Amino acid sequence: MVKQPQVALSGQEQARTIMGHPPGLFVLFFTEMWERFSYYGMRSLLVLYMVDHLFVHPDAGRRVLGFGLVKGGLEAVFGPLGPQPLSSQIYGLYTAFVYLTPFFGGMLADRVIGRRRAVILGSVLMAIGHFLMAVESLFFPALLFLILGNGAFKPNISTQVGSLYPPGDPRRDRAFTIFYMGINLGAFFSPLVCGTLGQRLGWHYGFGAAGIGMLTGLGVYLLGQHTLAVDFPERTESRPPAKEPLTRDEWRRVLALVLLCALNIIFWAIYEQQGNTLQLWADRNTNWIILGMTIPSTWFQAFNPLLIFLLAPILNILWSRQSRRHTEPSSIIKMALGCSLGGASYLIMVLAAHGTGPQEHSSVAWLIATVFILTIGELYLSPIGLSLVTKAAPAGIVSMMMGVWFLSSFFGNYLSGYLGTFWERMPREAFFLMLMGLGLGGGVAIWLLGRPLERIVERSDKTGLLE
C-alpha cells in the first residue's frame, strides 16, 4: 500500500526565518506568483485570440491541427457553431479541465513521484504549452499541455506550504494568507504585461511572455528546493486500518455538502464570464481611452485580483466586529450572500447594455462596478466554502469532499462556456439578465436550505464529530 509522503526540514532550515516564516514559504510564494502570471496572462488573451484571429479564417480547418475534430464533435451535440460560440465552448472546456486534472495530479504525487517532481513536471509541461501557443497549428496540443501541466502543479505546490510547519503551528494560517497574496499578485500583473504584448505587438508575444513567466517560476523553485520540506512516496506492505462505515449523521453532512457544491456550480458559471463574455464586452463595447491614452482591453482582467487585495482585509475586519457582537452570518448564509451578490452584479451590466448600442462604447466604470460587487461575492463564497468543507466533512473523507468542492468548479467553468454560446443569440440586456437571474436564484436556493443545513452542522459540532 501507499503511505503518505513524509516531510522534514533540516535543523538549519528550521532555524532560519524571513518575516517569522521559513524561507521556503517565499520560494513557494514566487513560484506560484509566476505560475499564476502565466495562467492568467494566457487566459486574458484566449477568447480574443480565438474570436478575432484563429477561428475567423475560412481555412482554419487546415491551419489548426484537430480543429475539424473538435468543432465537429461540439457541433454534433450543440448544432452549428460560429467563431464566438465555438470559442466560448472551448474556453469553458479548457478552464473546466484545469480544475479536474489536479485530482489525478495529487494521486500521481502521493503514489509515484512525490510533490517536488510533480511541481517540476507540471512547470515544464505548462511552459511547453505556452510556447506552443505561438504556433497556430498546435493550438489544441498547447491547451492539452497546459491542462496536464496544471494538474501536476496545482495540488502539489499548495500542500508544500503546510509541510513547512509542524502540526499546531499558529503561523500556518498566516502562511497560506501570504501564499494567497502571491496568487493574486501574479493574476494582477499578467493582463497588464501579457495582455498588452498580445494586443499591441501580436498574440504570440503575449503567449511567449506567459511561457517566460512559467520558466521564471520553475527557476525560482529549482534554486530554492533546499529550503523546502523533503518528500518522497514510500511503499509498505502493512495493511491500512479498516475504515469505520459512515454514521447516519455523517451521511447527512455528506449529502448537505454535495448539495451545496452543486449549487456552487451556478456561481462559478457566472463568475468565469470575466474571461469570456465580459472580456468581449470590454473589447467591443467599452471606452478604454483614459487620460488621453488608449488602454488594452485585457487590463479589465486585472480588476478582480486588485480588488481582492483591497477588499479581503476590510471584510475580515467586518466579520471580526460582527463576531464580537454575535451578529456574524453563518458560513452557509455567507455563501448565499456571495452567490446572490454575484447575480446582483450583473444588474449593473443590464443597465450598461440598456444605454449602449451595438456599435457604441460605454464607460469602463460599468465594468469596474460589476467586478467590484462580483469580487465581494467571491470573498463571501469561495474561502468560506473551503472552510466549511474542512469543518463539516467526516474526518475520514475530508480530502475526497474537498475534491467534490473542486469538482463543482469543473462543472461551473464548463457551464460558463455553454452560457457564453448565447452571447450572439440574445440581446445583451437579456443575456446579462439571464446571468443575474441564475446568481440570485442560486443564492435564494442556498438561503432556503441554510437553516436545515446549519442544524446538521451545529449538531455535528456539539457531538464532537467535527475536527
Side-chain angles (χ1 to χ4, degrees):
M1 293 298 296
V2 177
K3 194 177 180 180
Q4 290 295 325
Q6 297 182 9
V7 293
L9 286 173
S10 67
Q12 182 179 4
E13 292 301 335
Q14 288 178 347
R16 293 177 56 204
T17 62
I18 299 175
M19 297 172 57
H21 290 273
L25 173 63
F26 298 93
V27 172
L28 298 173
F29 173 97
F30 285 108
T31 302
E32 176 70 3
M33 183 196 76
W34 283 111
E35 187 275 331
R36 291 291 88 183
F37 173 91
S38 70
Y39 173 80
Y40 284 103
M42 179 269 192
R43 194 192 77 160
S44 69
L45 293 168
L46 182 58
V47 168
L48 294 178
Y49 177 60
M50 291 187 285
V51 171
D52 291 343
H53 178 73
L54 196 63
F55 294 165
V56 296
H57 291 284
D59 58 344
R62 294 195 303 271
R63 292 163 59 97
V64 182
L65 180 66
F67 178 82
L69 180 64
V70 173
K71 186 172 186 289
L74 289 172
E75 288 186 335
V77 179
F78 300 102
L81 297 172
Q84 187 277 322
L86 176 63
S87 300
S88 184
Q89 286 277 9
I90 292 172
Y91 172 85
L93 286 168
Y94 166 68
T95 56
F97 278 103
V98 158
Y99 281 94
L100 181 64
T101 51
F103 174 77
F104 302 100
M107 293 174 58
L108 175 69
D110 285 345
R111 301 183 180 185
V112 184
I113 63 176
R115 295 170 184 167
R116 286 198 193 183
R117 290 178 180 175
V119 167
I120 295 170
L121 173 64
S123 299
V124 171
L125 290 175
M126 283 190 286
I128 292 172
H130 286 303
F131 289 121
L132 287 181
M133 290 288 290
V135 183
E136 292 181 0
S137 62
L138 299 179
F139 174 74
F140 288 112
L143 293 184
L144 180 61
F145 271 93
L146 290 168
I147 290 169
L148 295 176
N150 182 84
F153 184 98
K154 190 176 182 69
N156 296 303
I157 190 76
S158 301
T159 52
Q160 291 185 69
V161 175
S163 300
L164 296 171
Y165 301 88
D169 193 322
R171 298 176 298 169
R172 185 188 296 254
D173 286 347
R174 296 192 293 272
F176 274 99
T177 301
I178 294 172
F179 183 73
Y180 189 69
M181 298 300 281
I183 295 174
N184 288 285
L185 189 62
F188 171 72
F189 282 111
S190 57
L192 308 183
V193 177
C194 300
T196 302
L197 290 173
Q199 290 189 289
R200 292 289 173 82
L201 297 181
W203 304 108
H204 306 321
Y205 288 95
F207 295 134
I212 292 172
M214 190 66 254
L215 288 179
T216 303
L218 175 60
V220 170
Y221 188 78
L222 291 174
L223 291 174
Q225 279 195 92
H226 64 282
T227 67
L228 304 177
V230 177
D231 79 295
F232 49 91
E234 183 175 306
R235 299 184 180 277
T236 177
E237 297 303 322
S238 61
R239 302 179 68 86
K243 292 184 178 180
E244 294 291 332
L246 296 181
T247 65
R248 180 180 179 183
D249 180 76
E250 287 175 328
W251 273 116
R252 294 181 68 183
R253 280 187 279 149
V254 168
L255 293 175
L257 288 175
V258 168
L259 183 58
L260 278 175
C261 289
L263 293 172
N264 190 45
I265 293 172
I266 298 173
F267 177 81
W268 293 119
I270 62 175
Y271 176 88
E272 276 298 322
Q273 297 301 324
Q274 290 179 92
N276 192 4
T277 54
L278 284 182
Q279 177 59 61
L280 290 175
W281 176 272
D283 191 67
R284 308 288 200 269
N285 299 100
T286 302
N287 181 6
W288 286 94
I289 300 176
I290 301 175
L291 299 177
M293 297 183 297
T294 301
I295 306 299
S297 67
T298 46
W299 285 29
F300 152 70
Q301 294 191 49
F303 291 160
N304 175 252
L306 175 62
L307 288 169
I308 288 176
F309 273 114
L310 299 176
L311 295 175
I314 296 174
L315 286 179
N316 279 330
I317 293 172
L318 172 64
W319 292 335
S320 295
R321 289 181 177 176
Q322 289 178 329
S323 178
R324 289 194 296 270
R325 297 171 183 172
H326 305 288
T327 59
E328 183 180 7
S330 68
S331 296
I332 295 173
I333 296 303
K334 282 182 181 178
M335 294 177 67
L337 285 170
C339 194
S340 298
L341 285 170
S345 69
Y346 283 96
L347 174 60
I348 297 172
M349 292 308 302
V350 172
L351 299 175
H354 180 72
T356 306
Q359 305 301 322
E360 296 178 345
H361 292 79
S362 64
S363 170
V364 71
W366 293 106
L367 280 174
I368 295 176
T370 299
V371 176
F372 179 84
I373 298 176
L374 190 60
T375 302
I376 296 177
E378 175 192 2
L379 290 170
Y380 264 91
L381 183 138
S382 182
I384 302 304
L386 287 170
S387 175
L388 182 64
V389 170
T390 62
K391 182 171 63 174
I397 57 169
V398 172
S399 295
M400 187 186 76
M401 294 308 300
M402 191 63 73
V404 173
W405 172 266
F406 283 113
L407 194 61
S408 71
S409 295
F410 165 76
F411 288 109
N413 276 266
Y414 173 71
L415 182 58
S416 75
Y418 174 73
L419 293 175
T421 63
F422 293 92
W423 177 252
E424 292 184 343
R425 297 158 54 185
M426 299 174 66
R428 296 290 183 264
E429 288 178 67
F431 180 81
F432 291 129
L433 193 62
M434 174 183 69
L435 298 181
M436 183 182 76
L438 285 171
L440 291 175
V444 169
I446 296 174
W447 179 78
L448 290 174
L449 292 168
R451 179 50 56 188
L453 294 181
E454 284 171 13
R455 283 199 296 267
I456 293 173
V457 173
E458 289 171 359
R459 186 185 306 114
S460 302
D461 202 8
K462 290 176 182 178
T463 54
L465 294 172
L466 296 184
E467 294 192 346

